[in-house]
Amino acid sequence: NTGNIVANNTLITNHIAADGDLDATNEIQALLTAPSQPGQIGITNGNSITINVDDADADPTNEIQLLIPGNTQPGVIGITGGNTTTLNVNDADADPTNEIELPTGGNNGQVLSTDGNGNYTWVDNSSASSSPIKAFGKVNADGTPAKIFGASIGQRVQPGLYAIQFTTPRSNGDYIIQLTNIQGKTMTYGLQDANGFTVLILGNNGKAEDTEFMFTVIDL
């Protein structure tokens, strides 16, 4: 039938124009996913293949997992789909009776000091308290202080004899006293104890004389 031959030739011509050849084994096909089978892909009117979507290997025991806190168990952490472990969150030991407790307070430049046995106290960190110089001053001839720190003039006991009293007593009487006066008169100290000391000033005739003087107390 001439009509059928013409129709078939037309179909063949159109197919070749669309595909480029008459080979049925090299057709373009679309990739298909298989939603019910994760990790599997296929092609239209063809086979399917399963790929490894875990990681670089097929070992399910070495997967990356996330750390998760054990909210109901303080100090416990775990991994997703895995085990948990308990951490020691107390301190260097598991003894709750030896914890460090800091004292309250600590104002005006104070710092913490420890005795090495876990006991802490606030101590004054000012330059005056950290210096070995604990008291100093300039005393007028009549016994009144011109400038003074860490002490006060107890009284002018008698001509040439002055009593110095500490604002805060020293731990003992074993401290260093330095005395000077502008006129180069002889000066001696006496009655040295934790509360203070006396200063005696002698003139050139060897008699006590009222004289302006300065003193410094050093204690380590």
Side-chain angles (χ1 to χ4, degrees), residues 38-54:
Q40 188 176 85
I41 61 173
I43 56 176
T44 51
N45 301 317
N47 297 327
S48 64
I49 184 173
T50 302
I51 60 174
N52 178 13
V53 295
D54 292 326

Side-chain angles (χ1 to χ4, degrees), residues 143-213:
T144 59
K147 297 285 184 179
I148 197 165
F149 173 83
S152 63
I153 305 302
Q155 60 178 330
R156 174 180 167 275
V157 180
Q158 60 186 41
L161 182 62
Y162 306 87
I164 306 296
Q165 293 183 345
F166 295 128
T167 304
T168 301
R170 309 307 309 155
S171 59
N172 54 56
D174 191 19
Y175 47 84
I176 299 169
I177 303 172
Q178 294 180 333
L179 301 171
T180 58
N181 67 80
I182 194 170
Q183 298 178 10
K185 295 182 179 180
T186 300
M187 302 181 66
T188 61
Y189 64 85
L191 301 180
Q192 181 180 359
D193 61 22
N195 295 310
F197 56 95
T198 59
V199 176
L200 177 62
I201 303 176
L202 300 177
N204 295 331
N205 57 6
K207 294 183 179 180
E209 292 185 7
D210 291 342
T211 305
E212 177 186 283
F213 70 94

Side-chain angles (χ1 to χ4, degrees), residues 47-72:
N47 297 327
S48 64
I49 184 173
T50 302
I51 60 174
N52 178 13
V53 295
D54 292 326
D55 48 21
D57 56 52
D59 185 354
T61 64
N62 66 348
E63 305 310 298
I64 295 176
Q65 295 174 292
L66 299 178
L67 286 174
I68 54 175
N71 293 332
T72 59

Side-chain angles (χ1 to χ4, degrees), residues 7-185:
N8 287 336
N9 287 338
T10 300
L11 290 174
I12 291 172
T13 300
N14 292 338
H15 179 79
I16 293 174
D19 187 44
D21 57 44
L22 291 175
D23 188 350
T25 64
N26 67 348
E27 304 310 298
I28 296 175
Q29 295 176 296
L31 286 174
L32 301 175
T33 58
S36 62
Q37 300 181 50
Q40 188 176 85
I41 61 173
I43 56 176
T44 51
N45 301 317
N47 297 327
S48 64
I49 184 173
T50 302
I51 60 174
N52 178 13
V53 295
D54 292 326
D55 48 21
D57 56 52
D59 185 354
T61 64
N62 66 348
E63 305 310 298
I64 295 176
Q65 295 174 292
L66 299 178
L67 286 174
I68 54 175
N71 293 332
T72 59
Q73 302 179 55
V76 177
I77 61 171
I79 53 176
T80 52
N83 297 328
T84 61
T85 184
T86 302
L87 299 176
N88 178 9
V89 294
N90 292 321
D91 46 23
D93 55 51
D95 186 354
T97 65
N98 66 348
E99 305 309 298
I100 295 176
E101 293 186 11
L102 299 182
T104 58
N107 298 315
N108 300 322
Q110 288 185 318
V111 296
L112 281 173
S113 176
T114 178
D115 61 2
N117 296 317
N119 300 313
Y120 289 82
T121 56
W122 291 107
V123 297
D124 191 355
N125 195 38
S126 67
S127 59
S129 64
S130 59
S131 170
I133 299 177
K134 304 305 178 181
F136 53 86
K138 179 179 181 180
V139 182
N140 297 318
D142 61 0
T144 59
K147 297 285 184 179
I148 197 165
F149 173 83
S152 63
I153 305 302
Q155 60 178 330
R156 174 180 167 275
V157 180
Q158 60 186 41
L161 182 62
Y162 306 87
I164 306 296
Q165 293 183 345
F166 295 128
T167 304
T168 301
R170 309 307 309 155
S171 59
N172 54 56
D174 191 19
Y175 47 84
I176 299 169
I177 303 172
Q178 294 180 333
L179 301 171
T180 58
N181 67 80
I182 194 170
Q183 298 178 10
K185 295 182 179 180

